[in-house]
Amino acid sequence: MCGIIGVAGVPDASRLAYLGLYALQHRGQESAGIVALDDDATARMHKGMGLVSENFDQELLDRLPGDVAVGHTRYSTSGSTVLANAQPCYANTRCGPLSLAHNGNLINAPELRARLVQEGAIFQSSSDSEVIVHLIARSEAETPEGQIRDALEQIDGAYSLIISLGRTLYATVDSRGFRPLALGKLGDGFVIASETCALDLVGASVVCELEPGDFIRVEDGEVTHLQRLKPRPVTRCVFELVYFARPDSMVFHQSVDAARRELGRALAREHPADGAEVVFSVPDSSNAMALGYAEASGIKLEHGLIRNHYVGRTFINPTQALRIAKVRIKFNPVREVIEGKSVVVVDDSLVRGNTSRGLVQMIRAAGAREVHLRLGSPPITGPCHYGIDTPTREELIAATHSVEEIREYLGVDSLGYLSLDGMLAAAGQPPGAEPRFCHACFSGDYPTPIPEELVQLRHVSPLVEAGA
Ligand code: AMP
């Protein structure tokens, strides 16, 4: 998953991109990068591994002048964790400097890449996003938007894109609309970002969310809606609402906070915990869900787990050993809240089960009499091929174990997953309503074909990190 931002027509654009990336940090912590363009369309770039705060400072931003900028925070879903894969992707083309920030995952990248390589293309990275750069640069269309459209017509899968070509900014969302993208106005200029929380931070007012298939150009202080991409059935990623997006964002025309509360209420109705005395969340992603659960069940909401905010998202860390060790660094139970009580722990999802198992052990050690785990989404049984970093099927605990087996493995007294219908209804798609979500990781119902090659290539890359 990634966070992307574009700024056009605002002085000191790189500084705004930098601030916006701070608000999008939760979408990717492996690398951060900004490309800025000055009045002469001279592009300057800085990218680095790690957090936004680790990569940029005042002096560096001073060296990225101009009123157009594109920024990106990344964690890998395609291609390995190396600097070469950090974005924005950058290239010099016959239309001028091109930079591209991509959120999503292309399903036909391996096939397109093989063809391009056969034709002589030289790739700098192993990321799927670079394929788009090559397709744009090689297009014979006469206008820059023609070149971009040419590329968009060849790629398939999930993509929210921000592209600068010369000093013009373009943005698009694939026709299925997997990933969010919002347009904001700031002074005489515009800001485009993955989530509205980034627009809030830079003081931009929200103009609109880009709809699936939207393709826009921002130039000379004006936004032009270009011809839309070929329509397809809309499949917004429901996991954005369940886990990924920040609760202070509006995503897919709804408040993420409101959706999570509703997921919590639905969970309480489907899986009550009779006799429980307190309910608490696994902070922070399930805070709003626990609130909803407490509201609907009447069980008192408490803060039973404290999260250390200086650790980062453990799941995002790509090595398994580190992930396990980090559970203890990241969470600590509040003994006074837990001791002698029957507790309900609300989490948004269960992936491998590692974090939750460690947490349950800590909660028991803090004196809980009973532990009832409630999850605000159904069992995750398949990987995401559209940009969320879920692991391979083999590593997903619910792909190979029954709910009862998982309950036993986690060591909880009871385990309740929200049903697929319950989750979709809470997210705004009641039974019988027109489908609007992708729920492939829960249901196995993938909205695109998944080439076997793509399954094989997950996390495999010809690039080896120095020292590895
Ligand atoms: P585990 O118990 O190891 O399966 O980890 C579950 C935790 O991972 C939950 O608290 C989720 O909030 C979190 N989580 C779920 N999906 C993801 C993801 N794609 N990236 C990062 N964290 C995730």
Side-chain angles (χ1 to χ4, degrees):
M1 184 53 67
C2 303
I4 60 175
I5 187 159
V7 181
V10 186
D12 254 347
S14 64
R15 211 168 301 267
L16 279 182
Y18 160 76
L19 288 173
L21 289 181
Y22 254 108
L24 300 175
Q25 186 73 83
H26 62 290
R27 298 184 69 88
Q29 303 177 338
E30 283 180 14
S31 67
I34 297 175
V35 171
L37 290 134
D38 69 12
D39 292 352
D40 305 325
T42 301
R44 295 177 180 84
M45 170 168 76
H46 179 72
K47 301 195 267 196
M49 300 308 289
L51 303 176
V52 178
S53 60
E54 291 165 344
N55 278 295
F56 292 93
D57 59 21
Q58 183 79 25
E59 199 187 318
L60 236 159
L61 292 170
D62 286 343
R63 283 192 261 135
L64 298 172
D67 65 346
V68 177
V70 175
H72 190 274
T73 58
R74 170 175 195 265
Y75 84 74
S76 53
T77 48
S78 170
S80 55
T81 309
V82 289
L83 185 57
N85 285 340
Q87 293 193 26
C89 300
Y90 179 81
N92 284 307
T93 73
R94 65 173 189 281
C95 294
L98 179 153
S99 70
L100 176 143
H102 175 204
N103 175 203
N105 199 43
L106 304 183
I107 56 153
N108 62 343
E111 173 197 324
L112 290 170
R113 188 187 179 101
R115 193 194 79 202
L116 286 161
V117 168
Q118 195 62 35
E119 289 168 7
I122 298 169
F123 277 80
Q124 309 284 334
S125 74
S126 62
S127 94
D128 60 332
S129 315
E130 194 187 343
V131 167
I132 312 172
V133 175
H134 284 270
L135 293 174
I136 296 172
R138 284 170 172 244
S139 161
E140 287 170 6
E142 278 162 17
T143 59
E145 45 254 47
Q147 286 181 270
I148 298 174
R149 184 178 297 280
D150 243 7
L152 299 180
E153 279 169 5
Q154 295 175 70
I155 60 177
D156 196 4
Y159 55 87
S160 285
L161 292 172
I162 298 176
I163 301 168
S164 67
L165 195 42
R167 284 178 39 78
T168 308
L169 207 62
Y170 297 89
T172 187
V173 172
D174 69 80
S175 303
R176 296 184 184 89
F178 287 102
R179 305 282 152 227
L181 201 58
L183 171 70
K185 175 119 187 75
L186 181 65
D188 295 332
F190 291 90
V191 182
I192 304 161
S194 292
E195 289 183 38
T196 56
C197 64
L199 302 182
D200 294 340
L201 193 151
V202 301
S205 55
V206 180
V207 174
C208 64
E209 196 171 332
L210 267 71
E211 298 300 327
D214 270 356
F215 180 24
I216 63 167
R217 178 180 64 215
V218 188
E219 194 177 39
D220 299 328
E222 271 183 35
V223 174
T224 310
H225 282 259
L226 303 169
Q227 190 194 333
R228 294 169 51 74
L229 310 182
K230 195 172 131 222
R232 293 181 193 275
V234 170
T235 49
R236 302 294 211 171
C237 168
V238 72
F239 208 58
E240 289 274 352
L241 295 170
V242 169
Y243 168 76
F244 217 83
R246 260 174 48 165
D248 50 336
S249 286
M250 293 289 293
V251 160
F252 309 147
H253 299 291
Q254 58 182 320
S255 146
V256 176
D257 173 75
R260 290 210 185 134
R261 284 180 196 227
E262 190 48 35
L263 286 162
R265 287 186 210 108
L267 185 58
R269 288 191 293 270
E270 282 191 17
H271 296 284
D274 296 334
E277 293 146 284
V278 292
V279 53
F280 55 84
S281 68
V282 178
D284 294 319
S285 50
S286 51
N287 288 350
M289 263 176 212
L291 233 159
Y293 194 99
E295 199 183 296
S297 64
I299 305 171
K300 190 174 177 215
L301 182 71
E302 288 275 12
H303 294 303
L305 286 170
I306 299 302
R307 178 179 174 167
N308 182 330
H309 283 269
Y310 304 95
V311 183
R313 281 189 173 186
T314 56
F315 190 98
I316 287 171
N317 206 308
T319 67
Q320 179 85 355
L322 263 178
R323 212 176 279 133
I324 295 167
K326 272 191 170 182
V327 178
R328 286 196 167 271
I329 308 173
K330 192 165 158 186
F331 297 105
N332 201 33
V334 182
R335 182 169 273 278
E336 288 62 32
V337 170
I338 292 173
E339 200 162 21
K341 307 243 176 65
S342 169
V343 305
V344 181
V345 184
V346 177
D347 205 352
D348 52 86
S349 57
L350 194 70
V351 184
R352 295 177 171 89
N354 293 335
T355 315
S356 314
R357 191 169 194 235
L359 279 174
V360 171
Q361 285 164 1
M362 288 197 292
I363 293 165
R364 288 221 184 267
R369 200 176 76 245
E370 286 176 17
V371 182
H372 303 276
L373 183 62
R374 297 292 179 265
L375 301 162
S377 58
I380 300 180
T381 51
C384 174
H385 293 293
Y386 311 115
I388 300 261
D389 181 28
T390 39
T392 55
R393 205 179 164 275
E394 293 67 43
E395 292 174 82
L396 291 167
I397 191 165
T400 47
H401 295 79
S402 67
V403 174
E404 175 52 23
E405 285 166 343
I406 299 170
R407 186 200 65 72
E408 220 169 283
Y409 172 77
L410 298 176
V412 289
D413 296 281
S414 75
L415 172 64
Y417 279 99
L418 185 60
S419 65
L420 184 64
D421 282 349
M423 174 186 69
L424 293 176
Q429 183 191 309
E434 202 179 319
R436 52 180 295 238
F437 288 114
C438 172
H439 40 75
C441 57
F442 304 112
S443 62
D445 192 359
Y446 289 89
T448 68
I450 304 295
E452 185 51 32
E453 208 183 348
L454 194 73
V455 181
Q456 305 294 333
L457 278 175
R458 266 191 90 81
H459 302 291
V460 177
S461 151
L463 269 177
V464 177
E465 210 164 347

